[in-house]
Amino acid sequence: MKPNTLYSKYDSTYKPTKQDIEKFPDLQNGPSSLIQGANVEIQQVGIHNFKLPLKFKTKNESTIELETKVTGTVSLDAHKKGINMSRIMRSFYNYKDDVFDFDLLEKILLSYKENLSSFNAKILLKFSYPIIQTSLRSDLNGYQYYDVNMCAELNKNGDFRKIFHFDFVYSSACPCSYELSEYAKSSRQIAAVPHSQRSVARVSVEFNENLLVEDLQEMCKTALQTETQVMVKREDEMAFAELNGSYLKFVEDASRLLFEQLISDHRIVDFRIVCSHQESLHSHDAISVLL
């Protein structure tokens, strides 16, 4: 056999020993002389949106399994070439059969720091969370799904942060359009319909004490009242029209109503509110941001 002969056939029988693997090239853990570009610290490097089914605890103490997108990142010192990204997935898979909450995420982050010798670590879990919704008057039930992000961060001082990002979809009927429609009816006997639209509130909350997805859903519903519906018969459609008439709101109103609800909860230490009304009158959206 010639020394430089290469074979293109995959060898399914080859199983390297531990000693063999130790001899493999490892550029990621190579010297700083291999770094390309500026020799600077990177705040976050890792794996984004790998999927697996994870279990979560519900408010009634049962568990639910949901397809989850996981982002795991760590910081990288200026003198290091890179990280072994497979270790992020492997450390995460060690807990894949557990029920996920923020206590478990803190445990995983500590393993990140230990396995990857990092000073900052972060995990983001993205999933769609189902909650049964009962119709307004017909007593039908259906699943309402909520986009949820669980974010856990651990810094070099050991400070641990717990953050929920929660999306709540609701209807917003314009107070100005309502008044103009009523005026057209009363003054000119002209049929007029006020405009309303599907709207989304993104509520981001940092908290210390226990907080669940159901808690955030209840806060948003209490504040805004006009959540979109799943199961609807004629009596529910009438009820929804009445509900929107009772809770008219501009986008500014929506963010202030949510602020009033969140600021009163002692479990929440900080929050941000972003409301977007996807206008049916305009070809653009109306937004309000409240920190």
Side-chain angles (χ1 to χ4, degrees):
M1 182 177 69
K2 296 179 181 179
N4 292 327
T5 300
L6 297 177
Y7 294 93
S8 58
K9 183 179 180 181
Y10 174 69
D11 184 0
S12 61
T13 64
Y14 174 61
K15 298 292 183 183
T17 65
K18 185 177 181 180
Q19 290 73 27
D20 291 333
I21 294 172
E22 288 176 352
K23 297 177 182 178
F24 288 175
D26 187 2
L27 292 181
Q28 286 177 326
N29 292 314
S32 58
S33 60
L34 295 176
I35 293 176
Q36 299 186 58
N39 192 347
V40 295
E41 168 194 315
I42 298 177
Q43 281 71 42
Q44 292 183 51
V45 60
I47 296 177
H48 177 56
N49 277 353
F50 70 88
K51 294 181 183 179
L52 70 169
L54 297 180
K55 299 183 187 71
F56 298 91
K57 184 169 65 175
T58 66
K59 193 166 186 177
N60 64 7
E61 299 297 326
S62 63
T63 60
I64 185 171
E65 187 172 86
L66 302 172
E67 180 187 276
T68 305
K69 293 180 179 179
V70 180
T71 297
T73 60
V74 295
S75 55
L76 182 67
D77 289 327
H79 66 276
K80 292 182 180 180
K81 171 71 173 175
I83 68 167
N84 186 331
M85 293 195 183
S86 68
R87 287 187 179 179
I88 291 180
M89 290 188 70
R90 280 184 279 140
S91 65
F92 201 90
Y93 266 80
N94 289 337
Y95 303 97
K96 66 180 178 62
D97 296 321
D98 292 0
V99 176
F100 273 72
D101 57 18
F102 280 96
D103 290 337
L104 181 58
L105 291 183
E106 183 177 17
K107 187 176 181 180
I108 296 173
L109 287 174
L110 288 169
S111 73
Y112 275 16
K113 289 171 69 71
E114 180 180 346
N115 294 335
L116 297 164
S117 301
S118 174
F119 53 87
N120 288 323
K122 184 175 181 178
I123 287 175
L124 181 68
L125 305 183
K126 299 172 65 176
F127 50 87
S128 188
Y129 191 90
I131 298 177
I132 284 287
Q133 182 194 72
T134 301
S135 60
L136 294 172
R137 287 181 178 151
S138 65
D139 294 326
L140 297 174
N141 291 322
Y143 282 104
Q144 186 79 282
Y145 280 82
Y146 302 87
D147 289 337
V148 179
N149 293 352
M150 289 176 66
C151 183
E153 300 178 19
L154 189 66
N155 67 18
K156 61 183 177 182
N157 299 319
D159 299 322
F160 180 60
R161 298 180 67 202
K162 303 184 290 187
I163 300 169
F164 263 129
H165 303 287
F166 177 80
D167 287 357
F168 184 81
V169 182
Y170 60 101
S171 172
S172 59
C174 175
C176 183
S177 181
Y178 175 81
E179 292 295 335
L180 290 170
S181 297
E182 291 300 302
Y183 182 78
K185 292 175 189 177
S186 62
S187 66
R188 297 167 45 230
Q189 291 74 54
I190 295 295
V193 177
H195 79 84
S196 61
Q197 52 273 320
R198 186 180 297 174
S199 305
V200 181
R202 163 63 67 93
V203 174
S204 301
V205 298
E206 182 179 355
F207 59 99
N208 287 329
E209 298 181 38
N210 189 42
L211 192 70
L212 297 172
V213 175
E214 289 91 341
D215 297 326
L216 290 172
Q217 187 270 344
E218 289 174 8
M219 291 181 204
C220 290
K221 185 176 179 180
T222 299
L224 300 175
Q225 293 293 328
T226 52
E227 182 176 19
T228 55
Q229 300 295 295
V230 179
M231 301 290 283
V232 176
K233 297 176 72 173
R234 282 184 297 171
E235 58 265 42
D236 303 309
E237 188 166 357
M238 178 184 289
F240 194 64
E242 295 172 13
L243 197 62
N244 274 272
S246 299
Y247 295 98
L248 302 164
K249 47 185 162 290
F250 294 123
V251 71
E252 299 93 334
D253 298 320
S255 60
R256 286 169 170 157
L257 287 165
L258 286 165
F259 183 96
E260 184 178 51
Q261 193 68 217
L262 297 175
I263 198 71
S264 64
D265 195 299
H266 70 277
R267 295 169 294 182
I268 297 173
V269 297
D270 197 9
F271 60 84
R272 181 184 66 188
I273 300 162
V274 180
C275 293
S276 175
H277 288 190
Q278 299 165 8
E279 294 277 312
S280 62
L281 169 64
H282 302 289
S283 55
H284 55 264
D285 296 343
I287 65 166
S288 177
V289 179
L290 212 167
L291 304 177

